[in-house]
Amino acid sequence: MKILHISTGEIFEAIVENVEAEDLKKLKKARFGFNWRLEKLSQIYKLRLVNDDEILGLMSLDHFESEKRIEIRLLEICKTQRGEQRMYEGIAGSLIAFACKECVKFHGFWACVSLIPKTRLRQHYIKKYGMLDDGGKHLYLVDRNLFKLIADYNL
Amino acid sequence: MKTINKIKQLKRESEEPAVHRHGLSIDQKVKADEQLMIAVRKRRSQMSETQMQYASLMQLRFLIEEYIKLDQYDEKWSFPNVLRTYIKLKYKSNKAFAKDLCLDETELSSVLNKRRSPSDKTIIRLELHSNHVIPATSWYRLLQLEKAQVFFNNKKIKQAEEKNVKNRMVVDF
């Protein structure tokens, strides 16, 4: 997958991997606000550049197999990559697209990825990632929108 | 005023983590999930045959990529088995598939039954048939993994070739 270096317009190769116990120990409050150790029971993934160990984003997933659905429990971008000082664009999108890909591996055409965002951010996710509103708490991706996101992030 | 609000919104979005823990009670979460599944089921029921086929093709592609990355042979992912799965995505008979790829039916049958390896042309045609979703390189890697396991680990072949090799490299100090 690829993420954009904003100031140069250069595209960098990024990778999403399982988070190891060692990674969790090394996480600093200055870089990630959430206590990611609380997510231990879920599958946690990290995004980094292929040639750099620095973690740029984290995501925890819950797999609801009977519903053929993966729920993004928590997704956090490194504090240095937020706001105007951020260097890269596409970290959150790449992580969401990765969740979609994982779900397709398991469930093919039934794949569904959902998340519960803060109310005021709902429209942002709908516009930016093509998420659908269930009329309740969840936003979700299925069929066309899910595969479009995978394609948009070169997965 | 609108612009200022927009800037404020964008600033807020880029400063906050994307998704928070939901913070719902168990009951609220169960209800939220039920509501979600109603919406999802409705969308799923509207999927066309073509969309389902595309999704299955992408699923196969991702699983092949994952298998190749592991770099360990697994019979389940042998070339003939994957080809069988591929054919079933769109065809009810091997004959119709062979026709669409201008392959001789007996040649296809031999490949599927491991009596022969697919030709380079067949592999190229497979890539073209999948509209490049499953590239020829992926089909090749499936073959390579199989060959490395089945052929080069064959003790009989190794023993038979022993007599043909002389002046071997030194592997000890």
Side-chain angles (χ1 to χ4, degrees):
Chain A
M1 72 183 52
K2 293 168 174 61
I3 57 171
L4 174 73
H5 189 267
I6 298 168
S7 62
T8 62
E10 215 176 326
I11 301 288
F12 283 84
E13 201 67 42
I15 189 168
V16 177
E17 298 168 319
N18 284 321
V19 162
E20 308 292 340
E22 280 303 303
D23 292 319
L24 291 177
K25 280 181 197 165
K26 283 183 206 162
L27 288 180
K28 297 270 182 339
K29 267 259 174 197
R31 293 174 55 78
F32 289 93
F34 282 100
N35 181 0
W36 280 87
R37 288 178 204 180
L38 296 177
E39 296 297 301
K40 263 185 197 170
L41 293 175
S42 302
Q43 188 72 52
I44 311 176
Y45 294 95
K46 62 181 178 185
L47 182 144
R48 65 171 177 88
L49 295 181
V50 165
N51 52 7
D52 193 342
D53 285 340
E54 186 185 320
I55 298 174
L56 299 175
L58 289 163
M59 171 177 70
S60 61
L61 303 177
D62 271 352
H63 191 171
F64 296 86
E65 287 198 48
S66 63
E67 296 174 10
K68 297 175 171 46
R69 172 171 74 91
I70 283 179
E71 183 171 319
I72 300 174
R73 280 173 53 87
L74 190 62
L75 192 155
E76 188 179 11
I77 299 165
C78 174
K79 285 178 182 174
T80 59
Q81 297 302 327
R82 297 183 213 161
E84 285 169 10
Q85 84 275 20
R86 73 190 196 279
M87 287 166 68
Y88 300 104
E89 177 71 45
I91 298 170
S94 295
L95 284 166
I96 298 170
F98 176 84
C100 293
K101 184 179 171 179
E102 286 302 294
C103 202
V104 170
K105 277 189 207 168
F106 282 103
H107 304 301
F109 49 80
W110 300 119
C112 172
V113 168
S114 67
L115 54 85
I116 302 178
K118 278 200 163 180
T119 311
R120 65 170 182 264
L121 295 178
R122 289 181 84 85
Q123 285 310 312
H124 170 68
Y125 297 118
I126 290 168
K127 278 185 196 156
K128 190 157 185 180
Y129 306 116
M131 298 195 109
L132 301 161
D133 195 332
D134 74 344
K137 304 282 184 195
H138 284 276
L139 291 181
Y140 67 103
L141 286 160
V142 284
D143 56 58
R144 193 191 301 273
N145 298 32
L146 182 139
F147 284 99
K148 186 179 179 305
L149 195 71
I150 291 174
D152 286 349
Y153 285 89
N154 296 299
L155 290 174
Chain B
M1 188 65 185
K2 261 190 174 178
T3 319
I4 294 168
N5 284 341
K6 179 79 180 162
I7 291 169
K8 273 184 184 170
Q9 189 199 345
L10 284 173
K11 210 177 165 194
R12 199 167 54 218
E13 284 163 3
S14 60
E15 281 171 357
E16 292 193 30
V19 181
H20 293 261
R21 291 187 187 96
H22 55 70
L24 304 175
S25 68
I26 294 173
D27 282 352
Q28 285 172 327
K29 181 67 167 58
V30 168
K31 275 181 190 162
D33 287 356
E34 280 170 4
Q35 184 161 0
L36 169 68
M37 288 321 291
I38 291 168
V40 170
R41 271 194 283 273
K42 195 176 170 191
R43 289 284 301 205
R44 282 173 176 163
S45 69
Q46 290 165 350
M47 274 179 85
S48 69
E49 190 79 15
T50 321
Q51 284 176 322
M52 287 186 179
Q53 207 174 82
Y54 172 77
S56 300
L57 180 63
M58 290 300 286
Q59 181 183 27
L60 184 60
R61 172 201 163 153
F62 294 150
L63 291 172
I64 291 174
E65 284 173 357
E66 191 175 67
Y67 166 67
I68 289 171
K69 209 172 157 187
L70 284 175
D71 203 31
Q72 270 189 330
Y73 178 70
D74 180 349
E75 170 65 20
K76 194 180 149 197
W77 292 97
S78 67
F79 188 97
N81 283 344
V82 175
L83 184 56
R84 260 190 211 100
T85 307
Y86 179 80
I87 295 170
K88 278 180 192 161
L89 295 180
K90 190 172 170 139
Y91 297 89
K92 286 193 174 118
S93 75
N94 293 344
K95 191 178 174 182
F97 175 71
K99 194 182 165 193
D100 281 354
L101 263 73
C102 289
L103 288 177
D104 187 79
E105 211 187 321
T106 50
E107 184 186 336
L108 176 63
S109 172
S110 299
V111 171
L112 290 173
N113 291 303
K114 289 190 175 183
R115 285 196 297 271
R116 64 179 286 184
S117 290
S119 68
D120 291 353
K121 282 179 186 172
T122 304
I123 288 175
I124 298 287
R125 286 178 203 176
L126 283 171
E127 175 180 321
L128 295 172
H129 186 267
S130 74
N131 258 323
H132 308 283
V133 170
I134 303 177
T137 48
S138 290
W139 290 108
Y140 263 116
R141 287 292 293 134
L142 291 178
L143 268 182
Q144 280 177 337
L145 283 168
E146 196 173 340
K147 195 164 183 176
Q149 173 72 19
V150 178
F151 183 74
F152 294 117
N153 283 342
N154 186 324
K155 282 183 184 172
K156 279 184 184 172
I157 297 173
K158 280 185 183 170
Q159 282 165 2
E161 295 305 318
E162 285 279 345
K163 63 179 185 296
N164 296 321
V165 181
K166 295 173 185 73
N167 287 322
R168 298 185 190 200
M169 298 291 274
V170 175
V171 289
D172 197 1
F173 276 105

